[in-house]
Amino acid sequence: MRTTHRISRAAVVFTAIGALALTGCGGNDDSGKGKSDPDSGSGGESSSGLVLPKLDGEKLSVAAVWTGAEQANFVKVLKEFEKRTGATVTFVPAQDPIINFLGTKIAGGQPPDVAMIPQVGAIQQAARKKWAKPVGTEARAQLTKNYAKVWQDLGAVDGTQYAVYFKAANKSLIWYNAKAFENAGASEPKTWKDFLATAETVSASGVAPVSVGGADGWTLTDWFENVYLSQAGPDKYDQLAKHEIKWTDPSVKDALTTLAELFGKPSLIAGGADGALQTEFPASVTQTFTGGDQPKAAMVFEGDFVGVNIAQTKAKIGTDAKVFPFPAVGAESPVVTGGDAAVALKDGKGAQALLTWLGSVDAAKIMAEQGGFISPNKALDAAAYPNEVQRTMAKALVAAGDAVRFDMSDQAPQSFGGTPGKGEWKTLQDFLKNPKDIAGTQARLESDAAKAYKS
């Protein structure tokens, strides 16, 4: 479950497609990118070996919350499916939260054949309400061939596969002002230690190193999740996400201690803790990419959806605004993700064929070539993405393999992980203000989590 604010954050991820396309992360060129596979044919085998059934005259529908350029790009994927199978596919605009939208459609006896669902919890709800249909043999074959186990597991409920992930969001990125880095003589860091050293170098140049949108508590949960995943590892991350270990666990202490290395130095944060707590997420981005040679900050942390806010400035992604993976605290850089999965809501050959198609490298390639999209399909050649910024984000996500993890706070009960002024959001805001109080922070997190998970 999510609050309205939480839903709007997810919507930003989806809306980012249009902005990225307009700011250098999208669009076609004259090389033929974005065009359909010339070898495609109705009901035949493509050059990739994908076989789809003949569905001549069958009418299907796919529901998603996507709008604008993202919707238009996805429709291109559906059009290619029509060409290969002979089916007719209608895109059905959905509203957030999609689980409520689908409930209304199902109650009215008119569910779409397939829905693109953006939340693990919503997939689980759809399965347990008996709305979702298990993934068929052909689609499961695509999953086995093209996806890391973690993406298969995210779409499974109680051991049964119900979803095929088509789109992912990389939420483990540091965006930076290229001019500020150049003026400071700074370079992209790879480790947390190097990140702190880079921040000191930038600070010495007269620019605040890091912009933190602390007025929005969800940004702080994302900071914690990336540090915790890299430092404690995927297994501990899973345990904490399910509250199988307590927030008083030593691994949480270690992550908060690491985060305090940044939060505890006001000179490294634009406006210090007080300023950060008054800065909302959109402003945390725009203040990093405005102000010419003297921006209010040189770096800002968040996912690929940051592009939508950069588009509100004069900065160009790839030249003025660049990006590097979240620095490794432990052995590896973390990759925290969100994503959208295809779920069949009707029995029949058509719905299952759509799942097979959306799990294929052919479908992923069409969407990737449009820009502003990241696929979890490991078989997709990174050359399909239209520029180096997209390739960097996609490679980091795919390279993480089974170490990638879904946003922890989005997996938690709403009262703990998704409510402004309460639970994890409020406690981490208090921690930003007083990062020395690690034990107190742990105790409050555990108290709130225990109540939320029990209810």
Side-chain angles (χ1 to χ4, degrees), residues 275-288:
L277 287 167
Q278 297 175 45
T279 303
E280 295 181 342
F281 166 68
S284 75
V285 178
T286 55
Q287 71 179 11
T288 306

PDB file of all heavy atoms in Angstrom, residues 275-288:
ATOM      1  N   GLY A 275      18.896  22.910   6.164  1.00  0.00           N
ATOM      2  CA  GLY A 275      18.547  23.234   4.784  1.00  0.00           C
ATOM      3  C   GLY A 275      18.011  22.032   4.039  1.00  0.00           C
ATOM      4  O   GLY A 275      17.029  22.142   3.283  1.00  0.00           O
ATOM      5  N   ALA A 276      18.632  20.876   4.244  1.00  0.00           N
ATOM      6  CA  ALA A 276      18.182  19.658   3.569  1.00  0.00           C
ATOM      7  C   ALA A 276      16.770  19.281   3.987  1.00  0.00           C
ATOM      8  O   ALA A 276      15.963  18.843   3.156  1.00  0.00           O
ATOM      9  CB  ALA A 276      19.136  18.507   3.873  1.00  0.00           C
ATOM     10  N   LEU A 277      16.452  19.463   5.273  1.00  0.00           N
ATOM     11  CA  LEU A 277      15.121  19.110   5.767  1.00  0.00           C
ATOM     12  C   LEU A 277      14.041  20.056   5.262  1.00  0.00           C
ATOM     13  O   LEU A 277      12.854  19.753   5.360  1.00  0.00           O
ATOM     14  CB  LEU A 277      15.122  19.074   7.299  1.00  0.00           C
ATOM     15  CG  LEU A 277      15.859  17.860   7.897  1.00  0.00           C
ATOM     16  CD1 LEU A 277      16.092  18.047   9.382  1.00  0.00           C
ATOM     17  CD2 LEU A 277      15.072  16.574   7.632  1.00  0.00           C
ATOM     18  N   GLN A 278      14.442  21.164   4.695  1.00  0.00           N
ATOM     19  CA  GLN A 278      13.492  22.101   4.100  1.00  0.00           C
ATOM     20  C   GLN A 278      13.474  22.010   2.574  1.00  0.00           C
ATOM     21  O   GLN A 278      12.758  22.761   1.907  1.00  0.00           O
ATOM     22  CB  GLN A 278      13.831  23.536   4.521  1.00  0.00           C
ATOM     23  CG  GLN A 278      13.712  23.781   6.019  1.00  0.00           C
ATOM     24  CD  GLN A 278      14.169  25.175   6.407  1.00  0.00           C
ATOM     25  OE1 GLN A 278      13.812  26.158   5.756  1.00  0.00           O
ATOM     26  NE2 GLN A 278      14.963  25.276   7.459  1.00  0.00           N
ATOM     27  N   THR A 279      14.257  21.095   2.037  1.00  0.00           N
ATOM     28  CA  THR A 279      14.373  20.952   0.576  1.00  0.00           C
ATOM     29  C   THR A 279      13.590  19.744   0.103  1.00  0.00           C
ATOM     30  O   THR A 279      13.885  18.608   0.497  1.00  0.00           O
ATOM     31  CB  THR A 279      15.853  20.800   0.167  1.00  0.00           C
ATOM     32  OG1 THR A 279      16.600  21.918   0.644  1.00  0.00           O
ATOM     33  CG2 THR A 279      15.980  20.711  -1.351  1.00  0.00           C
ATOM     34  N   GLU A 280      12.604  19.973  -0.746  1.00  0.00           N
ATOM     35  CA  GLU A 280      11.848  18.868  -1.323  1.00  0.00           C
ATOM     36  C   GLU A 280      12.632  18.265  -2.484  1.00  0.00           C
ATOM     37  O   GLU A 280      13.513  18.906  -3.056  1.00  0.00           O
ATOM     38  CB  GLU A 280      10.469  19.346  -1.786  1.00  0.00           C
ATOM     39  CG  GLU A 280       9.597  19.809  -0.624  1.00  0.00           C
ATOM     40  CD  GLU A 280       8.218  20.265  -1.073  1.00  0.00           C
ATOM     41  OE1 GLU A 280       8.053  20.541  -2.284  1.00  0.00           O
ATOM     42  OE2 GLU A 280       7.326  20.349  -0.224  1.00  0.00           O
ATOM     43  N   PHE A 281      12.280  17.041  -2.836  1.00  0.00           N
ATOM     44  CA  PHE A 281      13.041  16.318  -3.857  1.00  0.00           C
ATOM     45  C   PHE A 281      13.227  17.097  -5.161  1.00  0.00           C
ATOM     46  O   PHE A 281      14.363  17.207  -5.646  1.00  0.00           O
ATOM     47  CB  PHE A 281      12.407  14.956  -4.137  1.00  0.00           C
ATOM     48  CG  PHE A 281      12.931  14.305  -5.384  1.00  0.00           C
ATOM     49  CD1 PHE A 281      14.237  13.861  -5.454  1.00  0.00           C
ATOM     50  CD2 PHE A 281      12.122  14.173  -6.501  1.00  0.00           C
ATOM     51  CE1 PHE A 281      14.736  13.280  -6.607  1.00  0.00           C
ATOM     52  CE2 PHE A 281      12.608  13.597  -7.655  1.00  0.00           C
ATOM     53  CZ  PHE A 281      13.919  13.146  -7.714  1.00  0.00           C
ATOM     54  N   PRO A 282      12.166  17.661  -5.778  1.00  0.00           N
ATOM     55  CA  PRO A 282      12.393  18.362  -7.050  1.00  0.00           C
ATOM     56  C   PRO A 282      13.431  19.475  -6.932  1.00  0.00           C
ATOM     57  O   PRO A 282      14.291  19.629  -7.802  1.00  0.00           O
ATOM     58  CB  PRO A 282      11.006  18.918  -7.399  1.00  0.00           C
ATOM     59  CG  PRO A 282      10.051  17.998  -6.704  1.00  0.00           C
ATOM     60  CD  PRO A 282      10.734  17.639  -5.420  1.00  0.00           C
ATOM     61  N   ALA A 283      13.381  20.235  -5.830  1.00  0.00           N
ATOM     62  CA  ALA A 283      14.345  21.318  -5.637  1.00  0.00           C
ATOM     63  C   ALA A 283      15.750  20.789  -5.403  1.00  0.00           C
ATOM     64  O   ALA A 283      16.736  21.427  -5.785  1.00  0.00           O
ATOM     65  CB  ALA A 283      13.915  22.202  -4.469  1.00  0.00           C
ATOM     66  N   SER A 284      15.858  19.606  -4.798  1.00  0.00           N
ATOM     67  CA  SER A 284      17.187  19.023  -4.574  1.00  0.00           C
ATOM     68  C   SER A 284      17.888  18.746  -5.901  1.00  0.00           C
ATOM     69  O   SER A 284      19.118  18.806  -5.976  1.00  0.00           O
ATOM     70  CB  SER A 284      17.084  17.741  -3.744  1.00  0.00           C
ATOM     71  OG  SER A 284      16.580  16.652  -4.508  1.00  0.00           O
ATOM     72  N   VAL A 285      17.098  18.468  -6.927  1.00  0.00           N
ATOM     73  CA  VAL A 285      17.660  18.227  -8.257  1.00  0.00           C
ATOM     74  C   VAL A 285      17.942  19.544  -8.974  1.00  0.00           C
ATOM     75  O   VAL A 285      19.064  19.779  -9.454  1.00  0.00           O
ATOM     76  CB  VAL A 285      16.719  17.360  -9.113  1.00  0.00           C
ATOM     77  CG1 VAL A 285      17.310  17.154 -10.514  1.00  0.00           C
ATOM     78  CG2 VAL A 285      16.456  16.019  -8.441  1.00  0.00           C
ATOM     79  N   THR A 286      16.948  20.395  -9.048  1.00  0.00           N
ATOM     80  CA  THR A 286      17.112  21.621  -9.837  1.00  0.00           C
ATOM     81  C   THR A 286      18.210  22.518  -9.278  1.00  0.00           C
ATOM     82  O   THR A 286      18.925  23.165 -10.044  1.00  0.00           O
ATOM     83  CB  THR A 286      15.787  22.397  -9.928  1.00  0.00           C
ATOM     84  OG1 THR A 286      15.280  22.655  -8.603  1.00  0.00           O
ATOM     85  CG2 THR A 286      14.745  21.609 -10.706  1.00  0.00           C
ATOM     86  N   GLN A 287      18.402  22.554  -7.950  1.00  0.00           N
ATOM     87  CA  GLN A 287      19.451  23.411  -7.401  1.00  0.00           C
ATOM     88  C   GLN A 287      20.854  22.875  -7.711  1.00  0.00           C
ATOM     89  O   GLN A 287      21.834  23.596  -7.598  1.00  0.00           O
ATOM     90  CB  GLN A 287      19.281  23.603  -5.902  1.00  0.00           C
ATOM     91  CG  GLN A 287      19.582  22.393  -5.044  1.00  0.00           C
ATOM     92  CD  GLN A 287      19.400  22.682  -3.555  1.00  0.00           C
ATOM     93  OE1 GLN A 287      18.851  23.717  -3.161  1.00  0.00           O
ATOM     94  NE2 GLN A 287      19.860  21.773  -2.713  1.00  0.00           N
ATOM     95  N   THR A 288      20.929  21.630  -8.139  1.00  0.00           N
ATOM     96  CA  THR A 288      22.210  21.035  -8.528  1.00  0.00           C
ATOM     97  C   THR A 288      22.597  21.420  -9.949  1.00  0.00           C
ATOM     98  O   THR A 288      23.780  21.394 -10.308  1.00  0.00           O
ATOM     99  CB  THR A 288      22.145  19.499  -8.391  1.00  0.00           C
ATOM    100  OG1 THR A 288      21.720  19.158  -7.070  1.00  0.00           O
ATOM    101  CG2 THR A 288      23.484  18.842  -8.657  1.00  0.00           C
TER     102      THR A 288
END
